[in-house]
């Protein structure tokens, strides 16, 4: 019987996950469909119960349900529980188990470009939900340090205080981070600054950037943010948010099917969709 997979969020119409996963199901000849469902917060429990009742194979969870879903699941894995957010649910013999593939997806994307985070001095920009998943995941990779720069420094400090994995970290303002930018091997931008339509914005001044450092922006619309253009002009290696998106999806697909999918195929598919979006705007 055809299996159902899904993504739930509100809004959900923009999600590229259905096209990405349906293409993979057909490519690997798996009899399954992946559908988007717009679910209001007050309906979340009913939606989860309904999914369980129909024997769903698994589903992704996006804004605003990543944290609220946790008490509705039968089990949550350790990393997702410490991050406090679930983006992937797997139906394991009738029990719904939550995982977080956002942080690990970011790390896998990073490793496809460079040796990873071990022994690196890292600057994380932002202290929201995405920063939290990335910070906790990178903290386990034994980096030299991960400093967090945020408009609201107290939020960066709470993120540091919350992290269960031991890592050297300081919280600072965006201006302070700009002044000491020469110290960092890797800069990871996780805020919405520079996202379409406000593409002229940039979170910090890059005058002091270390040559040949690596700069990641988790934004993929536009494909090259002002920050990445600036970093590239100054001799840094740059990486946009497509990799994190594709690898979080690949890790979810692997949890559901046991197959780690062809990420190049996924990347091409996503880029094709984004290209369409740009043309249509
Ligand atoms: P997400 O879950 O996508 O990470 P979020 O939890 O709303 O989103 O977090 C947004 C992040 O972007 C925060 O670090 C936020 O800074 P504050 O903690 O000070 O609010 C940052 N951010 C968003 N817009 C910003 C802006 N215009 N200037 C500076 N930082 C901004």
């Amino acid at each position: 019987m055809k299996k159902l997979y899904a993504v739930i969020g509100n809004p959900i119409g923009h999600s590229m996950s259905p096209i990405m996963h349906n293409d993979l199901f057909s490519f690997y000849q798996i009899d399954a469909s992946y559908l988007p469902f717009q679910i209001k917060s007050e309906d979340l429990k009913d939606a989860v119960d309904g999914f369980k009742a129909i024997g769903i194979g698994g589903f992704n969870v996006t804004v605003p349900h990543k944290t609220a879903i946790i008490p509705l699941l039968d089990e949550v894995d350790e990393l997702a529980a410490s991050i406090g957010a679930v983006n992937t649910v797997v139906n394991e013999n009738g029990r719904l188990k939550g995982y977080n593939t956002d942080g690990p997806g970011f790390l896998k994307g990073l490793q496809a470009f460079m040796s990873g985070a071990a022994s690196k001095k890292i600057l994380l920009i932002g202290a929201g939900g995405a920063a939290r998943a990335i910070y906790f995941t990178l903290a386990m990779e034994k980096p030299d340090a991960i400093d967090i720069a945020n408009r609201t420094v107290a939020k960066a400090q709470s993120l540091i205080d919350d992290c269960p994995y031991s890592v050297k970290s300081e919280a600072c303002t965006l201006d302070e981070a700009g002044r000491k930018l020469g110290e960092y091997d890797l800069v990871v931008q996780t805020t919405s600054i520079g996202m379409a339509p406000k593409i002229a914005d940039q979170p910090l001044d890059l005058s002091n950037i270390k040559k040949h450092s690596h700069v990641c922006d988790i934004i993929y619309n536009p494909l090259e943010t002002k920050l990445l253009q600036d970093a590239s002009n100054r001799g840094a290696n740059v990486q946009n948010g497509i990799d994190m998106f594709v690898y979080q999806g690949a890790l979810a697909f692997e949890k559901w099917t046991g197959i780690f999918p062809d990420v190049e195929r996924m990347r091409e598919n996503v880029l094709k969709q984004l290209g369409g979006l740009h043309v249509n705007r």
Side-chain angles (χ1 to χ4, degrees), residues 8 17 33 46 64 117 143 149 159 165 176 255 277:
I8 59 171
S17 295
S33 277
D46 287 346
L159 192 47
Y165 312 109
E176 280 162 354
K255 288 190 184 304
L277 273 184

Side-chain angles (χ1 to χ4, degrees), residues 25-45:
F25 285 133
S26 117
F27 183 66
Y28 291 105
Q29 299 183 348
I30 296 168
D31 188 19
S33 277
Y34 183 110
L35 293 173
F37 291 97
Q38 183 167 343
I39 305 290
K40 292 190 219 126
S41 293
E42 59 267 34
D43 296 330
L44 186 61
K45 184 176 184 316

Side-chain angles (χ1 to χ4, degrees), residues 92-129:
E92 297 180 359
N93 302 316
R95 287 172 57 80
L96 297 181
K97 179 164 179 184
Y99 296 88
N100 188 304
T101 70
D102 287 329
F106 174 80
L107 178 62
K108 266 204 167 295
L110 185 71
Q111 287 165 338
F113 267 74
M114 59 185 275
S115 54
S119 309
K120 302 284 190 309
K121 182 144 191 203
I122 303 170
L123 174 68
L124 189 65
I125 303 171

Side-chain angles (χ1 to χ4, degrees), residues 32-269:
S33 277
Y34 183 110
L35 293 173
F37 291 97
Q38 183 167 343
I39 305 290
K40 292 190 219 126
S41 293
E42 59 267 34
D43 296 330
L44 186 61
K45 184 176 184 316
D46 287 346
V48 172
D49 290 345
F51 279 164
K52 202 170 171 178
I54 61 170
I56 196 163
F59 55 100
N60 285 127
V61 185
T62 188
V63 179
H65 305 315
K66 288 187 181 188
T67 299
I69 195 145
I70 288 180
L72 306 176
L73 299 173
D74 297 309
E75 203 181 330
V76 176
D77 101 317
E78 190 193 323
L79 177 67
S82 68
I83 293 170
V86 159
N87 79 319
T88 300
V89 176
V90 183
N91 186 341
E92 297 180 359
N93 302 316
R95 287 172 57 80
L96 297 181
K97 179 164 179 184
Y99 296 88
N100 188 304
T101 70
D102 287 329
F106 174 80
L107 178 62
K108 266 204 167 295
L110 185 71
Q111 287 165 338
F113 267 74
M114 59 185 275
S115 54
S119 309
K120 302 284 190 309
K121 182 144 191 203
I122 303 170
L123 174 68
L124 189 65
I125 303 171
R132 195 175 169 93
I134 292 172
Y135 178 58
F136 285 17
T137 306
L138 292 182
M140 288 190 287
E141 293 297 299
K142 308 256 177 290
D144 265 5
I146 310 177
D147 292 342
I148 307 181
N150 198 41
R151 174 177 60 185
T152 316
V153 179
K155 273 175 71 181
Q157 188 58 52
S158 339
L159 192 47
I160 292 170
D161 296 342
D162 283 355
C163 185
Y165 312 109
S166 158
V167 60
K168 195 165 152 263
S169 289
E170 279 176 20
C172 65
T173 65
L174 295 167
D175 283 347
E176 280 162 354
R179 284 195 289 276
K180 55 181 186 172
L181 208 52
E183 295 176 16
Y184 299 103
D185 309 301
L186 170 63
V187 176
V188 184
Q189 195 309 108
T190 70
T191 76
S192 51
I193 304 170
M195 192 187 286
K198 295 173 85 177
I199 59 171
D201 294 351
Q202 179 170 337
L204 81 178
D205 181 78
L206 296 186
S207 313
N208 298 323
I209 196 167
K210 187 173 180 178
K211 251 218 160 106
H212 307 304
S213 57
H214 190 83
V215 180
C216 296
D217 196 325
I218 69 163
I219 292 171
Y220 50 79
N221 185 14
L223 289 170
E224 191 171 51
T225 55
K226 174 115 182 301
L227 180 83
L228 291 191
Q229 278 169 30
D230 191 6
S232 178
N233 291 339
R234 293 174 191 275
N237 303 313
V238 299
Q239 184 173 14
N240 67 20
I242 293 282
D243 289 299
M244 178 177 176
F245 177 68
V246 162
Y247 277 96
Q248 65 74 32
L251 289 170
F253 189 84
E254 184 183 34
K255 288 190 184 304
W256 295 329
T257 64
I259 298 169
F260 188 80
D262 179 345
V263 286
E264 277 317 308
R265 181 181 178 88
M266 296 170 77
R267 190 199 313 274
E268 273 171 33
N269 197 355

